[in-house]
Amino acid sequence: TPADRERLTRVPACRVDAYADYSTGRALLDREDMPGNAAQAASAFTQAIARDASCAPAHAGLSAACWAQYRDNKDASLVRKAETSIAQALRLDPDNPTIRTSVAELYQATGRIDAAEKTLRDVIAQRPHDDEPHRILSNVLEKEGRDEEAAAELLRAIELRPTNVVNHLAQGNTAYYAGRFAEAVRSYSRVLEIQPDNVWAISNLGAAYWMIGEHQKAFAVYRAAPKADATILSNTGSFLLLEGRVQEAAQALEKAVALAPRDDIKRRNLGDAYLRLGDRAKALDQYRQARDLTQALLSVNARDAHALARHALYDAKLGQGSAAVQHVREAVELGPDDIYVLYKAAVVHCLAGRAVDAVVWLRRAVEKGYSRSDARTDADLAPILKLPEVEVLLRAGT
């Protein structure tokens, strides 16, 4: 834009060798789904900064790489590093819309939703034809329960850049977390048409097939994956567990935890496998570690309803029913229409011995779109699955 051209006359350009490192880092982040790319990108951006400390894009890139690593390994020190790096980028180039988009993404990820929305709307006003701020704004609006506005922003992002796989992944995730699993399948499949080896799309597509009861399709997707990452291994292990193949499940889940030791969901899944194998001590150890990990997530973003709901679940699995119920109620306050939070509320109440409440929460989750197929196979709901009203509730559909 004219504003960009004017800004570039004022901002010192990066040295050529530093910009080459920066470009390498960005190329790696373009395939953030590939294990190890985020760490390699961070190294490239760090080298760019070493060559030219005034290169604002390199500082912004390092922030993005740190946040990408945090999503993988949940090390809170990386969040602080991301915040420091983006602050330095802003000092060097305060009007750069790309940098300000990164700021907004960090705001959103740490629960500062209002600040994220304001920043993104300012960026869009300055650069309306950039797909990224529209996509991030969609996510922000979705967290505020403004679903129609969120959908419009995401469609705009796809219109602006229809071959950007991240846009289609976001569309699939939105559908998945709203219980529209067949729609999610279509979006993830579209990603794989564009980028056949996208690890995130493979993992999510298998999960979506599972939620609509297409279990063999889910397994087929994972078997065809070029390489099984931690999430694919963990999902495969969970599916095997539900099919009663407990020893195979435990082996897959142990591999997943070895690859992603700071992922609470993978530890919870492994704990479930150990419990089915009769090793309660090992199961409880996994649940305790999972709970500690969600507590660390909440220290970064206290408004993360999914993390809080999982925290409640781990409390319940550890026999701390009162704390579990309190935490899941707080999660519901943050995400009153979120089907996964509502479903976790059902499971928590069931594990806490509150069957009547569990049925109420399960009905709310299913009526809003949660998978009947998945609920029918959940061992944590065993105490209520044979109740007549629950059998009727879960009888039809996915």
Side-chain angles (χ1 to χ4, degrees):
T1 65
D4 284 331
R5 283 196 292 273
E6 193 277 331
R7 179 181 55 78
L8 290 170
T9 65
R10 294 182 287 105
V11 178
C14 300
R15 281 179 38 168
V16 172
D17 53 357
Y19 198 82
D21 290 326
Y22 165 78
S23 298
T24 297
R26 278 295 171 192
L28 288 163
L29 284 186
D30 280 345
R31 290 304 311 268
E32 190 186 328
D33 63 296
M34 302 298 285
N37 272 16
Q40 291 180 53
S43 295
F45 294 131
T46 299
Q47 183 164 304
I49 292 166
R51 297 185 194 277
D52 183 357
S54 67
C55 182
H59 290 280
L62 180 57
S63 176
C66 288
W67 187 257
Q69 289 179 93
Y70 171 73
R71 282 194 292 265
D72 282 342
N73 64 28
K74 309 301 187 293
D75 181 351
S77 68
L78 289 163
V79 178
R80 294 189 292 273
K81 190 170 183 179
E83 291 174 331
T84 300
S85 296
I86 202 64
Q88 178 62 8
L90 272 177
R91 280 192 290 271
L92 291 165
D93 192 358
D95 300 322
N96 187 318
T98 301
I99 292 173
R100 288 164 61 216
T101 299
S102 296
V103 171
E105 191 166 25
L106 202 55
Y107 282 155
Q108 178 245 278
T110 52
R112 291 170 281 182
I113 300 299
D114 291 344
E117 181 179 353
K118 182 182 184 306
T119 303
L120 288 165
R121 292 199 183 280
D122 289 344
V123 170
I124 289 170
Q126 183 179 356
R127 188 184 282 178
H129 302 298
D130 185 352
D131 66 309
E132 186 177 23
H134 288 283
R135 183 185 66 251
I136 299 169
L137 179 58
S138 171
N139 195 26
V140 169
L141 294 170
E142 186 181 320
K143 290 183 184 302
E144 293 184 317
R146 295 155 64 182
D147 294 342
E148 290 186 8
E149 294 176 76
E153 290 295 336
L154 187 50
L155 284 174
R156 181 60 178 148
I158 292 171
E159 289 170 359
L160 288 167
R161 197 172 167 202
T163 59
N164 185 354
V165 296
V166 182
N167 292 335
H168 294 287
L169 276 166
Q171 189 177 49
N173 292 344
T174 294
Y176 184 94
Y177 286 107
R180 304 192 304 272
F181 302 112
E183 184 180 326
V185 165
R186 289 193 293 273
S187 293
Y188 298 140
S189 297
R190 176 59 180 143
V191 173
L192 294 174
E193 289 172 6
I194 301 168
Q195 200 172 76
D197 62 343
N198 188 286
V199 176
W200 291 343
I202 293 168
S203 176
N204 294 355
L205 178 60
Y209 275 134
W210 186 271
M211 296 299 267
I212 59 177
E214 299 273 8
H215 296 177
Q216 293 310 310
K217 284 187 178 180
F219 279 117
V221 167
Y222 290 159
R223 282 195 297 268
K227 183 178 180 181
D229 75 337
T231 299
I232 290 174
L233 284 167
S234 185
N235 287 356
T236 300
S238 295
F239 299 166
L240 290 168
L241 188 63
L242 291 172
E243 291 202 336
R245 297 157 65 180
V246 183
Q247 193 63 55
E248 291 176 75
Q251 291 170 356
L253 291 164
E254 285 170 345
K255 292 177 183 177
V257 167
L259 289 171
R262 296 184 61 83
D263 189 304
D264 65 282
I265 297 173
K266 294 171 180 56
R267 286 199 175 275
R268 170 263 174 108
N269 293 340
L270 179 57
D272 288 348
Y274 285 150
L275 201 62
R276 290 279 296 277
L277 287 170
D279 196 332
R280 183 171 175 77
K282 288 175 74 172
L284 292 178
D285 179 59
Q286 292 301 319
Y287 297 148
R288 275 190 289 270
Q289 292 191 64
R291 185 181 59 182
D292 290 345
L293 289 166
T294 49
Q295 187 61 58
L297 293 178
L298 292 166
S299 72
V300 172
N301 181 3
R303 297 185 58 79
D304 187 338
H306 282 199
L308 186 54
R310 297 198 307 273
H311 189 75
L313 174 63
Y314 308 145
D315 279 335
K317 284 179 173 288
L318 289 165
Q320 299 178 9
S322 296
V325 168
Q326 178 59 37
H327 285 139
V328 86
R329 286 175 178 166
E330 293 169 2
V332 171
E333 289 177 7
L334 291 170
D337 297 314
D338 188 303
I339 62 173
Y340 288 87
V341 173
L342 297 175
Y343 184 74
K344 288 292 188 294
V347 174
V348 163
H349 282 86
C350 192
L351 291 173
R354 305 186 182 196
V356 174
D357 291 329
V359 173
V360 171
W361 286 109
L362 180 60
R363 184 175 301 279
R364 286 183 61 181
V366 166
E367 288 177 349
K368 286 187 175 292
Y370 193 83
S371 167
R372 288 178 170 86
S373 173
D374 187 64
R376 286 194 295 264
T377 63
D378 193 339
D380 288 337
L381 291 180
I384 65 171
L385 287 176
K386 296 299 183 182
L387 296 176
E389 62 267 43
V390 174
E391 289 186 331
V392 171
L393 176 66
L394 301 182
R395 185 171 296 155
T398 61

